[in-house]
Amino acid sequence: MNFRKLCVLGLGYIGLPTASTFATHGLQVVGVDINPDIIETLRGGSLHIHEPGLGAVLEAALESGKLTVSTDLEEADAFLIAVPTPFYPDRHGEYDGRQYRRADMRAVISATEAIVPHLRKGNLVVLESTSPPRTTVDLVAPVLERSGLKAGSDFFLCYSPERVLPGHILSELIENARVVGGITPESAAAGRDLYATFVKGEIIETDATTAEMVKIMENTTRDVNIAIANEFSRLAEKFGVDVWEAIRLANLHPRINILSPGPGVGGHCISVDPWFFVEAAPELSELIYHARQVNDSQPRFVVNKVKQALGELRGKTIAALGLAYKPDVDDLRESPATEVVHLLQDAGAVVNVWEPFKPEARMKDVHMTKSLDAAIHDADAILLLVKHTEFATLPPAELASHTRARIAIDTVNAWDPKNWQSAGFTLHRLGANKPISGL
Ligand code: SAJ
């Protein structure tokens, strides 16, 4: 199938890079977002998100005239939905005494509804948003069929999961293998033709529900693997072992690849998607449920660690370094660091946060500082929550002259104990029971 014009619904971390990349590969693209502020920002040539390389691709797409952005849809050959699928913060389901999170599909539903008046015979609709199994057939198809057209015969319908890693989105978009699940084989073939515009990785055709399941399986596997690493960090502390060294040694085994413990699992994917299985089939998702519990309770484990290091937290001042959900990104969504900060404050500590990727961020009940110095100056302890490159390479000797803190707590294994020790700090590390004492 030959596509000339594409409408991308949702201009966030996935939709914007995808729309821009289609445009720089020759398609006429209308990028649509319901948020007029985003459209205004993009029209002015600025970005509302941070992703390496995105600025240049967006600029090229806009300058070529191939990408336009708008709050309104237009008729097109294909429609691509890339809107968020979070869980409800306050609506839980319950199974066998266990509370589970429920997917909030309202953005997918309203994006799909917005397509209906523009849908024509022969169009292709692709859902990219991570969604519970059967969303494409049970939720999206019936809404689109309100147009009077039949999914699979009058128009093509696919699910194709985005699998790109924030921080590497633009290269992974092109290089990664792409799974395209159609509600019919013809739909899958149409989806393949669309992505062949720029995808260099293998494009694999399958059915829509398999494609949905593939995506949730990937992120669930990662969540479960991080949960075991976090559990190992707790066990290592109990046995007086350094978990980082133990993991390094275990990973020398040719078939073992243990991930890294940390303050918890954040972001809008790994900490969310496993719930899509649990909600859909709680009776079959026990391990997945418990892995979520382990990862969600890791911020509390970190706070206990801080208490061990500092004693009573009431009246203490802590400099928290990093608020992003992972290293070298500016994305603060579902960040475990934020939860650590809140828990420390609940325990009576004053917490000053320095997040170099988003110093201007305003978060409820979080005190952001304007510089590293401002965060550490009057602190009793420095708590490292995110392994940003610029934190990992901080020279402790220099830092020591900018702070009265002599206690440092590293939750991500970024700091070399010897360096911190010789700079006069007592360094506590997550997953290692024995603090390395300073002078
Ligand atoms: N984390 C750890 N330990 C680790 C690895 C990660 O605690 O060893 C934490 C991170 O700090 C972060 C969270 O897990 O808080 C998730 O980070 P991540 O880098 O594992 O994943 P995301 O959420 O940035 O991106 C994932 C990717 N999925 C997989 O690697 C299976 C990406 O390919 C997906 O496209 C993305 O989710 C998505 O959009 O679904």
Side-chain angles (χ1 to χ4, degrees):
M1 226 181 131
N2 204 4
F3 296 96
R4 280 181 318 235
K5 187 170 172 189
L6 168 71
C7 250
V8 176
L9 288 87
L11 295 179
Y13 282 91
I14 302 302
L16 186 59
T18 305
S20 307
T21 305
F22 270 116
T24 54
H25 286 74
L27 250 69
Q28 192 65 43
V29 182
V30 184
V32 179
D33 202 288
I34 54 166
N35 184 340
D37 294 342
I38 291 179
I39 298 302
E40 203 178 312
T41 305
L42 295 172
R43 279 190 183 146
S46 304
L47 279 171
H48 60 294
I49 50 177
H50 170 87
E51 176 61 33
L54 180 57
V57 180
L58 175 70
E59 194 182 317
L62 289 171
E63 269 177 13
S64 69
K66 288 283 187 188
L67 176 67
T68 55
V69 292
S70 171
T71 49
D72 300 313
L73 272 82
E74 292 176 21
E75 278 191 24
D77 302 314
F79 299 87
L80 193 156
I81 302 170
V83 296
T85 47
F87 48 58
Y88 285 103
D90 46 8
R91 286 194 218 169
H92 293 91
E94 198 167 318
Y95 173 80
D96 205 15
R98 300 197 296 254
Q99 279 206 333
Y100 60 78
R101 303 281 204 164
R102 295 180 50 209
D104 176 357
M105 299 303 289
R106 286 176 296 180
V108 169
I109 294 169
S110 58
T112 310
E113 285 172 342
I115 295 171
V116 173
H118 304 276
L119 192 64
R120 302 286 173 260
K121 245 185 163 174
N123 281 171
L124 165 68
V125 179
V126 185
L127 175 64
E128 279 206 11
S129 314
T130 307
S131 299
R134 299 194 60 83
T135 296
T136 310
V137 280
D138 289 347
L139 191 79
V140 174
V143 172
L144 292 173
E145 286 181 345
R146 288 184 208 156
S147 62
L149 299 173
K150 182 103 189 74
S153 48
D154 292 328
F155 64 92
F156 302 109
L157 177 59
C158 285
Y159 180 80
S160 182
E162 59 81 11
R163 302 155 104 190
V164 289
L165 194 68
H168 303 265
I169 291 180
L170 288 151
S171 58
E172 291 208 356
L173 208 51
I174 292 172
E175 307 296 337
N176 285 4
R178 176 59 83 161
V179 175
V180 183
I183 63 157
T184 57
E186 294 75 21
S187 288
R192 158 192 282 276
D193 291 346
L194 178 67
Y195 286 107
T197 307
F198 65 74
V199 171
K200 289 197 190 138
E202 193 184 350
I203 304 178
I204 306 108
E205 293 168 46
T206 183
D207 67 86
T209 309
T210 301
E212 289 163 350
M213 189 153 170
V214 164
K215 169 69 193 199
I216 318 172
M217 279 166 46
E218 290 167 0
N219 282 355
T220 300
T221 301
R222 194 150 170 89
D223 196 43
V224 172
N225 282 332
I226 298 170
I228 194 105
N230 282 334
E231 209 155 89
F232 288 153
S233 74
R234 302 174 187 187
L235 290 165
E237 290 202 7
K238 184 174 170 73
F239 301 129
V241 164
D242 177 340
V243 77
W244 306 98
E245 175 64 357
I247 289 175
R248 189 181 74 79
L249 298 180
N251 283 349
L252 294 175
H253 186 291
R255 284 174 296 284
I256 296 297
N257 182 21
I258 302 169
L259 296 178
S260 302
V265 170
H268 39 285
C269 307
I270 307 254
S271 62
V272 175
D273 303 351
W275 289 115
F276 294 169
F277 277 141
V278 180
E279 178 182 5
E283 73 287 3
L284 302 174
S285 314
E286 224 171 304
L287 172 65
I288 299 170
Y289 169 85
H290 285 292
R292 281 277 71 246
Q293 298 301 307
V294 170
N295 287 336
D296 275 354
S297 61
Q298 193 72 352
R300 281 203 297 281
F301 186 71
V302 168
V303 170
N304 282 336
K305 184 92 193 158
V306 179
K307 279 185 189 152
Q308 281 165 24
L310 271 176
E312 172 60 42
L313 292 181
R314 194 158 298 279
K316 299 275 166 50
T317 300
I318 297 167
L321 305 194
L323 202 62
Y325 85 92
K326 69 172 192 174
D328 298 332
V329 300
D330 77 334
D331 193 340
L332 310 184
R333 288 178 292 175
E334 311 289 338
S335 166
T338 310
E339 178 152 8
V340 171
V341 170
H342 285 150
L343 290 170
L344 290 170
Q345 290 174 170
D346 291 348
V350 172
V351 186
N352 295 322
V353 179
W354 168 234
E355 174 43 77
F357 282 84
K358 232 178 194 171
E360 80 292 354
R362 288 199 189 153
M363 309 263 309
K364 196 169 174 286
D365 299 326
V366 175
H367 178 243
M368 311 284 292
T369 57
K370 299 222 164 1
S371 66
L372 174 64
D373 268 12
I376 63 174
H377 189 263
D378 287 325
D380 296 297
I382 300 173
L383 171 64
L384 178 63
L385 292 171
V386 185
K387 203 173 181 174
H388 290 321
T389 308
E390 66 180 86
F391 290 157
T393 52
L394 278 175
E398 199 188 311
L399 218 66
S401 60
H402 291 252
T403 177
R404 66 186 176 89
R406 287 299 172 264
I407 293 176
I409 303 144
D410 174 2
T411 65
V412 290
N413 194 34
W415 290 340
D416 178 34
K418 281 202 201 79
N419 289 346
W420 283 75
Q421 179 185 9
S422 48
F425 288 94
T426 299
L427 182 70
H428 300 256
R429 289 179 309 139
L430 178 82
N433 211 1
K434 291 176 220 130
I436 312 280
S437 274
L439 301 172

